[in-house]
Amino acid sequence: MGISYGISVGLPPNYDASGTPHAAIFLLDGNWFFNDLYESYDEDDDFILIGINNTHRRNIDYLPFNTCEIEGGGNTNFLDFLVNELVPYLDFQYNIDPSLRLLFGHSHGGSFVFYTLFTDHGETFPLLFSNDASLGCWAVLSLEQSYHSESVNLPVTFYSSGATEGGADEVRPVMVKIINR
């Protein structure tokens, strides 16, 4: 993409590069969330924490072109960066279990997690967690409809929460549609 991102990596206390592969949590807006989560590591925790430090580009990287955020339109390129550059690089550097890669996003990042759900189909991130997604400016239901016309099976584990009243109101109809398929 021609853009540099800071990446933070936290290894669990028992990390062994030659042992059993580890789960990995990829945090969008890592510069907001990484330190607090890393500081809460317990000696029994067995996951790699990866922060993608891109809050300065969140309105570009997480959103499609739309009328709510005029900067949007970088979501396709950002997912391509994750899938084809960052994840392969980190898989090579660290002992990551591909079946235990989780992508976490909040607000616009949570919206990007929905986008990833319907475009990556669990191939790179079989575990997804969207928190308080700002779906009001997204055509998420059309993404869901398009995917559903190709397949009724989404081979992922998907968690979604709405922490604010507006976020919950936007997320609920999408989740009902997914669940009722």
Side-chain angles (χ1 to χ4, degrees):
M1 291 176 39
I3 298 164
S4 296
Y5 296 99
I7 304 297
S8 302
V9 177
L11 299 175
N14 64 350
Y15 180 75
D16 178 3
S18 64
T20 303
H22 297 266
I25 300 174
F26 288 74
L27 299 170
L28 300 173
D29 295 315
N31 37 332
W32 285 347
F33 299 109
F34 181 85
N35 287 337
D36 288 338
L37 288 173
Y38 185 68
E39 289 173 7
S40 69
Y41 259 141
D42 185 282
E43 70 250 6
D44 296 327
D45 287 335
D46 195 26
F47 59 88
I48 298 170
L49 190 61
I50 299 160
I52 305 161
N53 304 326
N54 66 324
T55 55
H56 64 291
R57 289 186 47 88
R58 66 191 323 270
N59 290 346
I60 300 167
D61 290 341
Y62 300 156
L63 301 173
F65 288 113
N66 62 57
T67 58
C68 298
E69 293 287 351
I70 58 171
E71 298 175 305
N75 57 319
T76 302
N77 287 338
F78 187 67
L79 182 59
D80 185 62
F81 159 71
L82 293 178
V83 169
N84 295 310
E85 294 181 47
L86 184 62
V87 168
Y89 172 77
L90 292 172
D91 281 352
F92 180 76
Q93 295 294 320
Y94 302 99
N95 194 6
I96 295 174
D97 183 339
S99 69
L100 295 175
R101 281 192 219 111
L102 182 140
L103 181 64
F104 169 83
H106 171 77
S107 188
H108 284 342
S111 299
F112 183 80
V113 170
F114 271 92
Y115 174 73
T116 303
L117 171 70
F118 295 120
T119 54
D120 181 59
H121 310 158
E123 292 177 26
T124 307
F125 297 102
L127 307 169
L128 299 157
F129 187 166
S130 170
N131 180 49
D132 217 15
S134 53
L135 297 178
C137 295
W138 273 81
V140 173
L141 286 175
S142 66
L143 287 173
E144 187 277 337
Q145 181 70 33
S146 175
Y147 181 80
H148 183 71
S149 69
E150 299 169 16
S151 174
V152 294
N153 185 21
L154 264 171
V156 300
T157 301
F158 184 78
Y159 298 93
S160 180
S161 64
T164 63
E165 187 174 327
D169 289 344
E170 292 174 0
V171 169
R172 188 174 295 110
V174 177
M175 292 307 297
V176 167
K177 186 87 162 180
I178 293 169
I179 291 168
N180 288 331
R181 288 278 189 191

